[in-house]
């Protein structure tokens, strides 16, 4: 049952949320950044997607384009990093592995958030403080823990804990003062658009939402909002999901680091994205019944001609073979490519996924060499898992890949790449 758990105690859900996660990951390996303003940029060094508290205090907004805040960063000594997704993903796995020690049931909600079922804990708040201390000591990542009888109340507690600079906070449906301090737009599942509609009927805070008539909430936001309303009242309506449900589609796409004009570069990029999507799909044991490719120019460059297009196809038989998927994706790309444009993005969407255990074959026998192809793909994946994506790849993926993302400020991937590990002399 996990540590310090017993029956006949109040039900408690905990939300463990890493503080400024991307920034915290950078600080683990560069302790000199503690107390200094730091931001992490999105793909192609476009916008600020993570900010330290010091950077927030300097007015760096979430999603602020870097070209607009570059002068401020340089003038005020704000340290700027490109996104280092390999490092962040590995650190996320380390944090969740520690959290699993504290509860019999856990749901990884996102890269930096996890729900834990603490039902039966004799002192859930003390357990949350211990959880926070152990995660910080073992991984270097600071976390905030919100506690409540439902997921939504745990989210409320976590948000208030961060606002009040508290490590842990527990909120119950009877804590009207706490609920009144949270704007309705900040409630999990509400957001800005729905918040506008709620304010029109006099619902401005989480407390207003919790005490409003259920029928009114259903009329404003349907069953989803009514569920949130009931959760704020302490009734569990959103179950724990120990395993994420299999996806229906898988998409892989990135904006280019520079404008791309040639079909060859587009095909190379698309091949890489298709292999990535296929790997995600294979990891879930799924097969794709179809594929869709999309292509677009930069809609923000009004001084350039614009073009976008998409095309899809269905497969005769569901497949997870990356070689076949790359071939199909390239055929779709050739059908929609038009010369004379500067392209910003290309991507692939693997459609209508189905379980590999439910595979239904055609009446015709499999093509000769299919078993060899399967072993080849498995061998490639094993090599790339051991030695990185450069260890084994399809020729269609290219070698130089000059179209890749711009990440000029990326820190070393010191937990996943031997050649980038820190050395101490």
């Amino acid at each position: 049952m996990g540590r310090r758990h017993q029956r006949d105690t109040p039900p408690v859900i905990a939300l463990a949320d890493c503080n400024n996660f991307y920034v915290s990951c950078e600080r683990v390996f560069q302790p000199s950044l503690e107390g200094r303003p730091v931001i992490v940029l999105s793909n192609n060094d476009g916008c600020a997607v993570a900010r330290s508290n010091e950077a927030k205090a300097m007015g760096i907004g979430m999603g602020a384009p870097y070209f607009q805040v570059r002068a401020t960063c340089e003038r005020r000594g704000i340290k700027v990093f490109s996104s280092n997704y390999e490092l962040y993903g590995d650190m996320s796995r380390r944090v969740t592995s520690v959290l699993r020690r504290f509860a019999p049931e856990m749901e990884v909600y996102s890269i930096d958030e996890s729900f834990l079922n603490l039902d039966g804990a004799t002192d859930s708040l003390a357990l949350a403080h211990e959880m926070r201390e152990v995660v910080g000591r073992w991984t270097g990542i600071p976390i905030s823990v919100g506690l409540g009888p439902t997921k939504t109340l745990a989210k409320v507690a976590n948000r208030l804990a961060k606002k009040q600079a508290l490590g842990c906070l527990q909120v119950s449906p009877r804590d009207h003062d706490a609920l009144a301090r949270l704007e309705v737009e900040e409630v999990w599942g509400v957001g800005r658009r729905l918040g506008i509609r709620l304010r029109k009927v006099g619902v401005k805070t989480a407390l207003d939402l919790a005490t409003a008539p259920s029928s009114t909430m259903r009329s404003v936001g349907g069953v989803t909002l009514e569920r949130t309303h009931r959760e704020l009242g302490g009734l569990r309506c959103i179950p724990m999901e120990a395993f994420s449900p299999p996806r229906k589609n898988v998409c892989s796409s990135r904006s280019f680091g520079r404008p791309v004009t040639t079909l060859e570069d587009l095909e190379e990029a698309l091949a890489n994205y298709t292999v990535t999507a296929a790997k995600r799909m294979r990891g879930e044991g799924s097969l794709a019944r179809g594929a869709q490719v999309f292509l677009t120019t930069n809609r923000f460059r009004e001084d350039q001609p614009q073009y976008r297009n998409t095309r899809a196809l269905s497969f005769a038989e569901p497949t997870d073979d990356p070689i076949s998927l790359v071939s199909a994706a390239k055929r779709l790309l050739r059908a929609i490519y038009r010369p004379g444009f500067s392209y910003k993005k290309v991507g692939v969407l693997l459609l209508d996924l189905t379980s590999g255990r439910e595979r239904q074959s055609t009446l015709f026998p499999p093509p000769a060499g299919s078993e060899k192809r399967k072993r080849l793909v498995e061998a490639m994946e094993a090599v790339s898992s051991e030695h990185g994506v450069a260890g084994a790849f399809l020729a269609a993926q290219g070698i130089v890949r000059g179209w890749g993302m711009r990440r000029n400020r990326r820190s070393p991937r010191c937990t996943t790449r031997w050649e980038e590990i820190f050395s101490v002399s």
Side-chain angles (χ1 to χ4, degrees):
M1 284 291 293
R3 304 174 63 190
R4 303 184 186 177
H5 287 259
Q6 66 180 31
R7 295 182 179 179
D8 301 325
T9 53
V12 177
I13 296 291
L15 174 64
D17 185 5
C18 301
N19 300 339
N20 307 323
F21 180 56
Y22 291 178
V23 170
S24 295
C25 290
E26 301 291 351
R27 284 175 165 172
V28 168
F29 299 97
Q30 299 188 54
S32 61
L33 296 175
E34 287 292 340
R36 292 180 55 189
V38 181
I39 66 172
V40 177
L41 302 176
S42 62
N43 294 340
N44 292 308
D45 295 346
C47 304
V49 293
R51 306 153 296 152
S52 68
N53 292 335
E54 297 80 6
K56 295 175 185 177
M58 291 181 179
I60 304 297
M62 185 63 170
Y66 180 54
F67 75 90
Q68 292 181 359
V69 300
R70 182 198 299 268
T72 301
C73 293
E74 293 174 351
R75 184 177 67 255
R76 307 194 66 175
I78 299 175
K79 185 69 174 177
V80 181
F81 289 96
S82 301
S83 294
N84 189 343
Y85 296 118
E86 286 188 58
L87 174 66
Y88 307 153
D90 185 65
M91 293 301 293
S92 174
R93 287 187 288 272
R94 296 182 185 210
V95 170
T96 55
S97 69
V98 178
L99 290 174
R100 290 188 191 279
R101 298 169 176 263
F102 289 90
E105 185 180 11
M106 181 172 129
E107 173 188 341
V108 180
Y109 181 66
S110 68
I111 192 172
D112 61 347
E113 293 178 285
S114 294
F115 288 104
L116 297 94
N117 188 344
L118 301 185
D119 289 353
T122 55
D123 190 341
S124 55
L125 190 57
L127 187 60
H129 281 289
E130 181 183 354
M131 187 189 310
R132 184 170 183 267
E133 191 274 331
V134 172
V135 169
R137 176 155 42 90
W138 289 11
T139 69
I141 302 295
I143 67 172
S144 297
V145 183
L147 303 169
T150 67
K151 279 186 172 182
T152 303
L153 284 169
K155 274 273 193 179
V156 168
N158 190 280
R159 187 174 289 271
L160 291 174
K162 288 189 172 183
K163 280 189 171 186
Q164 300 170 34
L166 301 172
C168 304
L169 181 66
Q170 188 163 8
V171 171
S172 77
R174 296 180 298 277
D175 292 332
H176 289 185
D177 289 342
L179 294 175
R181 291 197 298 270
L182 195 68
E183 298 295 319
V184 69
E185 293 85 359
E186 298 179 277
V187 175
W188 186 37
V190 176
R192 183 180 61 84
R193 291 186 177 180
L194 185 53
I196 294 173
R197 295 164 59 188
L198 286 168
R199 286 182 178 273
K200 290 180 179 179
V201 296
V203 176
K204 300 178 181 179
T205 67
L207 179 61
D208 295 335
L209 180 56
T211 56
S214 179
S215 58
T216 302
M217 294 303 95
R218 178 184 281 267
S219 65
V220 172
V223 176
T224 301
L225 183 60
E226 185 181 12
R227 182 177 60 183
T228 300
H229 163 73
R230 291 178 181 273
E231 284 252 326
L232 287 174
L235 180 64
R236 286 188 183 177
C237 302
I238 306 175
M240 293 282 291
E241 295 182 358
F243 302 97
S244 300
R247 288 175 281 197
K248 297 297 182 183
N249 304 302
V250 173
C251 181
S252 181
S253 176
R254 288 285 188 275
S255 294
F256 299 129
R258 60 169 176 80
V260 172
T261 58
T262 66
L263 177 61
E264 291 75 15
D265 281 347
L266 289 170
E267 287 183 335
E268 194 174 279
L270 183 62
N272 281 273
Y273 302 152
T274 304
V275 169
T276 299
K279 185 176 181 180
R280 294 176 189 165
M281 178 181 67
R282 288 167 62 85
E284 296 182 355
S286 299
L287 307 170
R289 291 194 176 103
Q292 176 179 314
V293 169
F294 55 91
L295 181 66
T296 181
T297 54
N298 189 347
R299 61 188 177 91
F300 297 105
R301 292 294 303 270
E302 297 179 357
D303 59 320
Q304 296 180 349
Q306 299 293 312
Y307 172 75
R308 65 182 59 195
N309 207 342
T310 182
R311 185 158 297 187
L313 61 79
S314 297
F315 303 138
E317 184 177 354
T319 182
D320 63 355
D321 176 23
I323 301 176
S324 299
L325 292 169
V326 167
S327 178
K330 289 172 68 174
R331 289 199 307 271
L332 291 170
L333 176 63
R334 290 167 188 156
I336 61 176
Y337 170 75
R338 299 292 181 270
F341 294 95
S342 294
Y343 292 101
K344 180 64 174 177
K345 180 185 288 189
V346 70
V348 63
L349 187 65
L350 301 182
L351 304 169
D352 198 13
L353 303 189
T354 183
S355 172
R357 295 187 297 272
E358 302 171 1
R359 185 170 193 160
Q360 183 175 354
S361 300
T362 63
L363 295 174
F364 304 99
S370 58
E371 282 301 316
K372 288 185 178 180
R373 172 80 69 86
K374 181 179 178 181
R375 290 196 296 271
L376 170 63
V377 170
E378 291 173 349
M380 285 179 55
E381 290 185 344
V383 172
S384 63
S385 297
E386 181 73 19
H387 301 285
V389 293
F393 54 89
L394 301 178
Q397 294 178 252
I399 297 175
V400 178
R401 304 175 188 175
W403 44 265
M405 282 193 304
R406 186 170 62 251
R407 293 196 288 177
N408 300 327
R409 300 169 179 268
R410 178 181 57 78
S411 58
R413 296 164 289 187
C414 48
T415 65
T416 57
R417 298 292 184 96
W418 284 108
E419 65 273 18
E420 297 183 24
I421 196 171
F422 285 120
S423 60
V424 180
S425 58

